[in-house]
Amino acid sequence: MKAVVIGGGIAGLLAARVLTESFDDVVVLERDKLSGQPEYRAGVPQGRHVHGLLVRGGEIMEGLFPGLYDELVQAGAHLMDAGEMRILNPLGWVASTRTGLPLLVASRPLLETHVRRRVTAKIMDDVHVTGLSFCGSTVDGVLTGDGRVDAELVVDASGRSSKLPKWLAEAGIVVPEPDEVDSRTGYATRIYTAPKDFPVVVAESLASPHTPRGGIVMRIEGDRLMVTAQGAGGDHPPRDPEGFQRFLDSLRGPIAGMLADAEPLTPAYLFARTASRRFAFERTPGWPGGLVAVGDAVCVFNPVYGQGMTVAAMAALVFRRHADFSAKGCRDFQRKVAKTAESAWVLSSNADEGWVDGAHAPPGPFKRAFGWYLKKWQVALVHDQDVFRRFVRVVHMVDSPAALLNPVVFRRLAKYSRPDRRPGRRPAVPNPR
Ligand SMILES: Cc1cc2nc3c(=O)[nH]c(=O)nc-3n(C[C@H](O)[C@H](O)[C@H](O)COP(=O)(O)OP(=O)(O)OC[C@H]3O[C@@H](n4cnc5c(N)ncnc54)[C@H](O)[C@@H]3O)c2cc1C
């Protein structure tokens, strides 16, 4: 049995890793030329920006490739407690505390290269997939620039710019319009030298509707800092050095001051196609046998929540409990994949509604309750380490959001009604506790 995976990004590599457990032959077709070394590449433009791997995603990857964390740390990645990130939310510094959850901090190229080295499937680079090959109502391979590759199963993992809906439409199969929530967030990122003792992660989070600007600084391999400026609601950071610096200076927290002794090593790179979008492939009439999709090709998230690689990892595990790739089996597979993305989608899309153009119509009861609940959280996260610990477990997808909907949490949140905001003061970075 042969499986072909389109795309050698994180979703494709992890899918290939799991497929090697049940298929005799697994081939990954990647459009970019791969050098074997960690480097930025055209097919993954988002690789130039901060890529936080949530704890759940890290656990899955370490499970699939035992020893991966050690290898990455040897290559310069950092391992820290997920609760010890310094995060400034709109109301103050969150109550950072140890959680016992290991968080790996590395650049996207470093992570992807080490994962790729561990995948035993055959990876063919410089191969552009241009369409699907059909035998009746079943997909039996893919078309490439100069030929075709047969397969019993084709897995689309070609990311945010996947052409799958178009390829299916050419075969008369119409995918329903996707759900979309566009926070109009833009990223700009530069690499800097790292001053001595700079924390591993310092973040200033944005939040609708009044805090459109934020940033995140991560210590990455090679003793460098990756500095990403983020602006939502169309308030994008500029790429020219002066504009980038002005944007950092305009943040509420100390990021600009902390970088005073850091030297920029690269220009700023921009990325602004950040809308969250999900396709309901499981509801597509006439979906063919022999074809499934994972990763960003199915569901992309506003990257500020750092969910994409983890949801891709969860989708890869679905291959372990699924063996039927008939037309019905493939729709069932997509149903399971949609389920793995559901809680991430609910969290990010509801939090982003405040940025959506024309979303200022009076919200319904669910949205009002969600908004009220989020505000309570922002206050509680500043004051309460227990609340923060629970929040970290949910945000990192270790626990489901249901873990936050219980009477103990409600009682704790009820205590916190007053924002701890001191206008005009720029808060210093707290020491680790
Ligand atoms: C600015 C930004 C920041 C992000 N930050 C985070 C973060 O902090 N944490 C996180 O978890 N996620 C983050 N993400 C999301 C994350 O990058 C993706 O969710 C994750 O990489 C899974 O994507 P993928 O493998 O499906 O697609 P990709 O990583 O985009 O890989 C797709 C691959 O398919 C190849 N390809 C495309 N078309 C073809 C074709 N026709 N033939 C052959 N190959 C093809 C591409 O070259 C590429 O290698 C961020 C995204 C953006 C845009």
Side-chain angles (χ1 to χ4, degrees), residues 164-192:
L164 189 57
K166 177 174 170 279
W167 295 338
L168 288 169
E170 284 163 6
I173 299 164
V174 180
V175 173
E177 281 300 305
D179 293 334
E180 193 165 303
V181 179
D182 189 357
S183 67
R184 292 170 294 129
T185 299
Y187 271 49
T189 299
R190 295 185 85 174
I191 306 278
Y192 287 71

Side-chain angles (χ1 to χ4, degrees), residues 6-12 29-32 41-44 46 49-54 108 112 127-130 157-163 167 187 271 273-274 294-297 300-301 303 305-310 312:
I6 310 170
I10 295 291
L29 303 177
E30 168 53 48
R31 188 175 54 186
D32 281 350
R41 56 190 185 85
V44 182
Q46 72 269 34
H49 303 273
V50 154
H51 257 67
L53 176 61
L54 301 182
R108 159 72 189 248
E112 185 186 291
V127 178
H128 188 174
V129 175
T130 53
S158 60
R160 186 177 282 263
S161 53
S162 161
K163 298 283 181 291
W167 295 338
Y187 271 49
F271 197 102
R273 276 199 310 135
T274 58
V294 290
D296 284 9
V300 273
F301 302 94
Y305 306 102
Q307 297 163 320
M309 295 191 292
T310 295

Side-chain angles (χ1 to χ4, degrees), residues 71-139:
E71 252 179 46
L72 282 159
V73 168
Q74 272 183 18
H78 297 268
L79 203 51
M80 67 182 290
D81 188 291
E84 291 191 325
M85 281 173 54
R86 320 288 167 72
I87 306 168
L88 184 67
N89 88 7
L91 301 178
W93 291 99
V94 298
S96 301
T97 184
R98 288 190 70 75
T99 57
L101 299 174
L103 180 70
L104 186 93
V105 178
S107 73
R108 159 72 189 248
L110 187 76
L111 175 65
E112 185 186 291
T113 305
H114 279 260
V115 167
R116 194 189 314 125
R117 287 179 190 160
R118 298 285 298 271
V119 169
T120 54
K122 182 171 181 193
I123 299 176
M124 295 172 67
D125 66 349
D126 205 9
V127 178
H128 188 174
V129 175
T130 53
L132 300 171
S133 156
F134 283 85
C135 172
S137 59
T138 300
V139 168

Side-chain angles (χ1 to χ4, degrees), residues 4 6 29 129-133 139-144 147-151 154 167:
V4 162
I6 310 170
L29 303 177
V129 175
T130 53
L132 300 171
S133 156
V139 168
D140 67 351
V142 296
L143 308 175
T144 61
R148 84 183 262 292
V149 182
D150 295 331
V154 171
W167 295 338

